[in-house]
Amino acid sequence: MLKGIPSILNPDLLKIMMEMGHGDTLVIGDGNFPAAACAKRLVRCDGHGAAELLDAIMTFFPLDTYVEKPVAVMATADGEDAPIWKEYQQIIARREGEAAFEQVERFDFYARARDAYAVISTGEGALYANIILTKGVVIE
Amino acid sequence: MLKGIPSILNPDLLKIMMEMGHGDTLVIGDGNFPAAACAKRLVRCDGHGAAELLDAIMTFFPLDTYVEKPVAVMATADGEDAPIWKEYQQIIARREGEAAFEQVERFDFYARARDAYAVISTGEGALYANIILTKGVVIE
Amino acid sequence: MLKGIPSILNPDLLKIMMEMGHGDTLVIGDGNFPAAACAKRLVRCDGHGAAELLDAIMTFFPLDTYVEKPVAVMATADGEDAPIWKEYQQIIARREGEAAFEQVERFDFYARARDAYAVISTGEGALYANIILTKGVVIE
Amino acid sequence: MLKGIPSILNPDLLKIMMEMGHGDTLVIGDGNFPAAACAKRLVRCDGHGAAELLDAIMTFFPLDTYVEKPVAVMATADGEDAPIWKEYQQIIARREGEAAFEQVERFDFYARARDAYAVISTGEGALYANIILTKGVVIE
Amino acid sequence: MLKGIPSILNPDLLKIMMEMGHGDTLVIGDGNFPAAACAKRLVRCDGHGAAELLDAIMTFFPLDTYVEKPVAVMATADGEDAPIWKEYQQIIARREGEAAFEQVERFDFYARARDAYAVISTGEGALYANIILTKGVVIE
Amino acid sequence: MLKGIPSILNPDLLKIMMEMGHGDTLVIGDGNFPAAACAKRLVRCDGHGAAELLDAIMTFFPLDTYVEKPVAVMATADGEDAPIWKEYQQIIARREGEAAFEQVERFDFYARARDAYAVISTGEGALYANIILTKGVVIE
Amino acid sequence: MLKGIPSILNPDLLKIMMEMGHGDTLVIGDGNFPAAACAKRLVRCDGHGAAELLDAIMTFFPLDTYVEKPVAVMATADGEDAPIWKEYQQIIARREGEAAFEQVERFDFYARARDAYAVISTGEGALYANIILTKGVVIE
Amino acid sequence: MLKGIPSILNPDLLKIMMEMGHGDTLVIGDGNFPAAACAKRLVRCDGHGAAELLDAIMTFFPLDTYVEKPVAVMATADGEDAPIWKEYQQIIARREGEAAFEQVERFDFYARARDAYAVISTGEGALYANIILTKGVVIE
Amino acid sequence: MLKGIPSILNPDLLKIMMEMGHGDTLVIGDGNFPAAACAKRLVRCDGHGAAELLDAIMTFFPLDTYVEKPVAVMATADGEDAPIWKEYQQIIARREGEAAFEQVERFDFYARARDAYAVISTGEGALYANIILTKGVVIE
Amino acid sequence: MLKGIPSILNPDLLKIMMEMGHGDTLVIGDGNFPAAACAKRLVRCDGHGAAELLDAIMTFFPLDTYVEKPVAVMATADGEDAPIWKEYQQIIARREGEAAFEQVERFDFYARARDAYAVISTGEGALYANIILTKGVVIE
């Protein structure tokens, strides 16, 4: 553990977030997401909720301002918003400002996960809780 | 995730618990424990409390009945019991029956951790929350 | 060995089952199945029968309820049902409820095995005893 | 699988048996034996009984005729013979001729396992079912 | 060395033969065959003749009875039979019964070697001594 | 790069700092320090000054309050203080409060570096610029 | 450190520069460049400016004289020259003589980085500071 | 070093030459050849001239007699013969008999190097000194 | 295969012989020798006789002339010479001149094998056929 | 190859020289030196003379001025100076100034080589041509 870094962020995850550059994507998968099958780089966060993790990640992670929708979620089967998305939007608004979410069909979402820089597996029990973040630039 | 297995147990941890045999030891270290420096096999459970993890482990883990004290904790500097030990005792009593705890001095505890089959690092914030479990036999 | 986990499940197999997500597939091959040639991840269970292993796996493994036929077998050359399929159906019915089986032609079956998350090789002596399981979701 | 080789012998096990030379030892551990902690080379045979495995091994494995007792078992706590030893003696007598068994105290047995060429973990449920075989020479 | 296993079969070769399943192929290359360049899995048997090795392999290896020609040789430039083929036919007839050989053009043969489960390099000095074996099933 | 993390800290270094626990030590070596020869884990920061790096590290790194002198420097040959130590003391005072430095003889310092959790090599040109930090606990 | 080699050049970077041949390319990415995602071989130079690094590299690195433009930069969104390019041109003019720069669109630049022999990640804070060098021949 | 083997041949190079079979190719690149970028297997012979190395290689290496031109060189830009080719021809004539050389355009040459069994990098200073050898058969 | 190198010498063996220097030892073990258990570097030559292999090795291998007995054999239990030693002496006399053999007790021989640069396992069926060669210098 | 770096220095060697720090040692072994058996890190320079290599190394390598004799050679059996030492002294005098050489007995020399940071094997044919260099500091 270090001062000022939430203990939910494991060393590999923070290392991977630091390695990422402009336009690279990071996927947070829920407990049933086929993370190990998709991931180029897999980070396991078993037992943790996705929102708690997202909040810790967004402490350090800049979103891409060069694209219209730097955040994507997996579209539900019935076209309704999943309840957890509201929580995601509040976290992101608080850290990086309001952002509209892109909705991506399930199998297209898997394809994006295979192209992502890394995929995080969590223990999130909510359905349709998968989310993709596109990294922006840090201006020092 | 699987049916009947708590999501806090990650795949590597359960694999390691299955590989262990009679007399092998498993250490749960708190957030400040030098786990990576001591461990022959390291399992990271960043961000989780030690008691929640112990409870999930004890669902499957038999304690050694061939020794007097199959559980050890790190002795506090002032000789008082650490508050979290009571929680540990309740978990163990519920899963395997009452068991007295051995208290081990800090640097002796590190030596045992270096000999242990595996060490788990957690995000536990309580002090003196480190604990060693000695595995017993399964009678089918 | 652990309490409540059948000893026929080896540590690697349970670890792999835990890593799998929604839609990932697991193949149980009989003693003559070209498992090592097909498998992305190979789990050896030499000397064990396929039905005994299936029964242990189904203790923990949820079937996919999003697809019509979450179980597939290799179609016989003569179009008849292989005798062991009945045994498979009883096991699955007992663990997850009745499920119709898809029949897949031999070389198509090999292609699916190459795409599967993992392939298990057994010592099963019965012919046409190969089976594919599609993982579903765990609702906690 | 191959013609004339029992399917309970996995490829790694037979390879290891072939690599061994005069005086090298092979340990068969029961289901509670700390095999992974002791083994220089570990062969997992989860779910199998030790006697069935011993019988398959002895089909190919010559015992050392240069030493008085080429077979050792772990001494019981009460000094009585473990019931499974009789079964072991019959298997060895049938394959290689009568042989007296050395009895080795538990922690000395662990030390020998650490020096052994390989250790096999099984799912054997009987207690004190651990056995060490010393390899002899093949005269062609 | 083990009882009943010819010493010309090295541990890796027997392990590989055990891992192979129905339809997998095994190539025996002569001393000039580009084995290392083609092989997914390479087994070196430097200094040995191909016929002696084939004979030892066929002690354990079942040929595929589901295809018309489970054995293939590299076609000679002049279309004549290579002298060593007769020796191969006698070995195979003795172990598995008479079998017609498929003749495969040199560069097609290389392509099959690249798809084979394993390729064995030998010290065989005869020309056109390369041979492919397709594995069948073992009925216990 | 991430928000709030100085770009001089490379991903491996931050990962290693996160992995360290109470009592583990971290060495910053100057440009002539035999870092690669001593280090269990080596982090290269070629071209950077040691003070600039120390300042970035101390943003996150807690010093051990259980020992009298959690910081050590390599004693100079003439017993005088090296000029850069004053800079080190100011950095540490600003981040963690005043701390007295232990002075360690050159070859004893090498022995401590061999026991340290990690050693950082820098391009620091000042002489006797080597420093050891002992990690303390994070109280959340 | 060695005599005559700038300390900003780390051992891996110089090794990689030595391994490169005629026509191979080397990319220097700024602090936000997705270096780890693109690179066949990644060299981390966290915290360093790109111009300082370019200057050290050009001490040893010959530019390709067989192509018209051996240096490429990432084209800006507005078509203007990035301020840092002037600095790059002065460095290159001083080391290898005047050279016109090719401007490459952002996503084409990424494609070239994926084909490059190596990619260097820096801590450069200036935007559009990415540059590709094509290696020429050394005439001794 | 061994009796009768020139000391310029390093152990990896001779091992690789022994592993090669009929039709496999070996590239000797000059000091500016992009060997590391092209090679499936790279052998470094830094500081050595190509002709000296070719002479040592041809002591053991049979050229392919099944093809018209078993030796290829990189065509010069002006279509003239490179001076070093004459030296190559004399070496080959002395070892294996006269052989005409195929001339291959620069980028086609790179493509062949990527397909070659191995590429050797030398310190040869002459231009257009790159050469490809196709291995023939050894008749014992 | 290469011109002038016996095909019984496999690529790894010749590579290892080339890597050895003055005073390094090479062990040839018979078919029952515990080669894999002793060897720092193991070379398998299954199925070959030890004398045939020794003859090929001695084509290239210089014996140490700085010691009195550069060749050692394993002493027999009865103190008699093993029949194969005469064959060894003839081979060595022919290649390097007459040399007296040191006789080493069985367990001392094992200790020397553990210190040897490499150990070769053969299929030699003769008893007490193990031999150690000490490498000398090559004067070019 | 790079501008200003002799082509006899291979990339691994220069990388290793850069990694070394104050007090680390580098051994240049002659063609018969048991380099592979002694070396923690081995650099092969087959076919090169030791003096030519020493000259290239000394272009960049500072000798230790904190010790009396930063250079050591292997003492000859007869106590006479080996002819090549004079050449070594001239090279070192030209690069770093006059330096007396320590003479080290053969087996003590081997012990030092085992402790050295790296050992270089050459093709040097002269006897007693082995030399150890102790690295000093670079003052920028």
Side-chain angles (χ1 to χ4, degrees), chain B residues 39-84:
Chain B
K40 286 184 187 169
R41 295 170 188 83
L42 178 66
V43 181
R44 298 205 67 92
C45 293
D46 298 83
H48 287 297
E52 185 188 7
L53 198 63
L54 176 64
D55 190 49
I57 288 169
M58 292 305 299
T59 315
F60 300 102
F61 195 89
L63 287 181
D64 193 355
T65 56
Y66 285 57
V67 295
E68 201 184 348
K69 296 182 175 176
V71 179
V73 290
M74 185 187 281
T76 59
D78 58 9
E80 299 296 313
D81 279 17
I84 201 171

Side-chain angles (χ1 to χ4, degrees), chain I residues 2 8 10 14 18 22 25 29 33-34 42 48 58 68 78 80 87 104 109 115 119 122 124 126 137:
Chain I
L2 292 174
I8 197 176
N10 68 50
L14 199 59
M18 291 176 78
H22 183 198
T25 56
F33 189 77
L42 177 66
H48 288 296
M58 292 304 299
E68 202 184 346
D78 59 9
E80 299 294 313
E87 201 174 345
V104 180
F109 194 100
D115 286 339
V119 179
T122 69
E124 176 60 53
V137 302

Side-chain angles (χ1 to χ4, degrees), chain H residues 1 3 60 96 135, chain I residues 1 3 12 60 96 135:
Chain H
M1 299 205 298
K3 297 186 294 182
F60 300 102
E96 287 278 287
K135 194 177 179 186
Chain I
M1 298 205 299
K3 297 187 293 183
D12 271 327
F60 299 102
E96 288 278 287
K135 195 176 180 185

Side-chain angles (χ1 to χ4, degrees), chain A residues 68-100:
Chain A
E68 202 183 348
K69 296 183 175 176
V71 178
V73 290
M74 186 187 280
T76 60
D78 59 9
E80 299 295 313
D81 279 16
I84 201 170
W85 296 355
K86 179 158 304 205
E87 200 174 348
Y88 289 172
Q89 282 165 326
Q90 289 167 345
I91 290 166
I92 283 169
R94 188 171 66 249
R95 297 290 187 186
E96 288 278 285
E98 300 267 332

